[in-house]
Amino acid sequence: MSGGGGWQARRGCIEGLLGPTLQALEDLQEIEYEQRFKNGPRGTFKNLIFAAVGPKPKIVLRDAVNNDVEIVQNAKNCLVYSDPLPAQGLTWRQMVTWWQANHLPSAEEPEAADALYRRLYRSLDSLPEQTVLRTYCTRYAEPAGFDLPALIPQVYLHYDPYTRKSGGHSGALHRQRMDFLLLAPDRSRIVIEVDGVHHYGTKNPIEVDSRSTYTASPRLYSEMVAEDRRLRLAGYEIYRFGGWELTRPDSPQLISDFFTELLARHKKPTP
């Protein structure tokens, strides 16, 4: 490496020697990344039914051969996303593009994004859930924020017409909606639940002073953790917040720190 040619020649020589090694390292990194998530959720993404406002939608299996579902009642109360799911997950920009095409075709992207956010916010009726959505969505205003995974509220995971009210048989599905869902760039499906007291307690008769109280219910708790196990074995990732911790003054910072770590965990590495 001595002699003429200067720094550019020496740099070219070094790159020539290391190039194949660097490419091999990048290939190994990509293989490791793919292997890490090969056991993701089974099945193929078809649609999302989410953000219901008012009476719940009633769903039927219209074509059992093709696994086509149809909302036969209260369809106008919820949103349905059925566009193909890209390899990098579902970003806020893609959600806004879908919203423009189906609801506000003449709107510019910022106007459509604001309208979609407001529509999603309307589907939440608890302060802790509203705090989660509001805190996460501030990230959309950051540079490249529109390319972050969209936080989708009130997603129907399954529809079970044979509810506990119709007999409580052992095959009943006890959780029909997820509080929030993220479809991450690594193909992970991330469920975020906000647990109010009704998740693990039964309401007592109203007291004289009109206060609502609850009694801890081992049955409700068991149903909740059993459904968590089922989802995890199906490849979903689940995180829970207690409703109480999201009413504290520092809850926005707590939520923000959580999402910073979560997004870093599921971000695809760059060479």
Side-chain angles (χ1 to χ4, degrees), residues 46-86:
K46 294 198 69 175
N47 52 58
L48 289 172
I49 301 173
F50 63 104
V53 176
K56 296 180 180 179
K58 293 187 178 180
I59 305 167
V60 299
L61 189 61
R62 177 61 65 189
D63 186 336
V65 175
N66 292 324
N67 197 30
D68 291 333
V69 300
E70 180 180 338
I71 303 173
V72 294
Q73 287 187 30
N74 304 321
K76 292 183 179 180
N77 295 345
C78 61
L79 302 178
V80 181
Y81 183 97
S82 57
D83 290 358
L85 182 66

Side-chain angles (χ1 to χ4, degrees), residues 103-153:
H103 299 275
L104 290 174
S106 62
E108 296 295 327
E109 186 177 66
E111 180 187 354
D114 181 68
L116 176 57
Y117 167 76
R118 292 177 184 276
R119 172 60 183 80
L120 298 181
Y121 194 85
R122 283 175 52 211
S123 71
L124 304 176
D125 55 10
S126 79
L127 178 60
E129 289 178 355
Q130 292 169 350
T131 303
V132 170
L133 184 69
R134 189 169 57 247
T135 302
Y136 181 84
C137 289
T138 60
R139 295 172 180 262
Y140 298 150
E142 299 173 355
F146 269 43
D147 296 314
L148 291 172
L151 184 64
I152 311 165

Side-chain angles (χ1 to χ4, degrees), residues 58-214:
K58 293 187 178 180
I59 305 167
V60 299
L61 189 61
R62 177 61 65 189
D63 186 336
V65 175
N66 292 324
N67 197 30
D68 291 333
V69 300
E70 180 180 338
I71 303 173
V72 294
Q73 287 187 30
N74 304 321
K76 292 183 179 180
N77 295 345
C78 61
L79 302 178
V80 181
Y81 183 97
S82 57
D83 290 358
L85 182 66
Q88 67 270 25
L90 185 57
T91 67
W92 179 241
R93 188 181 305 279
Q94 289 156 344
M95 287 284 290
V96 172
T97 299
W98 162 81
W99 179 259
Q100 284 177 288
N102 291 277
H103 299 275
L104 290 174
S106 62
E108 296 295 327
E109 186 177 66
E111 180 187 354
D114 181 68
L116 176 57
Y117 167 76
R118 292 177 184 276
R119 172 60 183 80
L120 298 181
Y121 194 85
R122 283 175 52 211
S123 71
L124 304 176
D125 55 10
S126 79
L127 178 60
E129 289 178 355
Q130 292 169 350
T131 303
V132 170
L133 184 69
R134 189 169 57 247
T135 302
Y136 181 84
C137 289
T138 60
R139 295 172 180 262
Y140 298 150
E142 299 173 355
F146 269 43
D147 296 314
L148 291 172
L151 184 64
I152 311 165
Q154 302 298 301
V155 178
Y156 276 84
L157 175 63
H158 46 241
Y159 180 72
D160 176 18
Y162 306 105
T163 62
R164 285 168 288 183
K165 293 181 180 179
S166 62
H169 63 83
S170 60
L173 300 172
H174 297 290
R175 185 189 308 158
Q176 296 193 25
R177 283 194 303 182
M178 298 174 281
D179 290 336
F180 296 99
L181 177 68
L182 282 167
L183 299 173
D186 58 20
R187 297 190 300 277
S188 295
R189 297 179 188 177
I190 304 166
V191 177
I192 298 167
E193 294 281 12
V194 178
D195 295 337
V197 66
H198 61 280
H199 285 81
Y200 48 82
T202 55
K203 194 171 185 178
N204 298 321
I206 299 297
E207 309 237 347
V208 177
D209 58 1
S210 299
R211 288 189 306 118
S212 294
T213 61
Y214 289 78

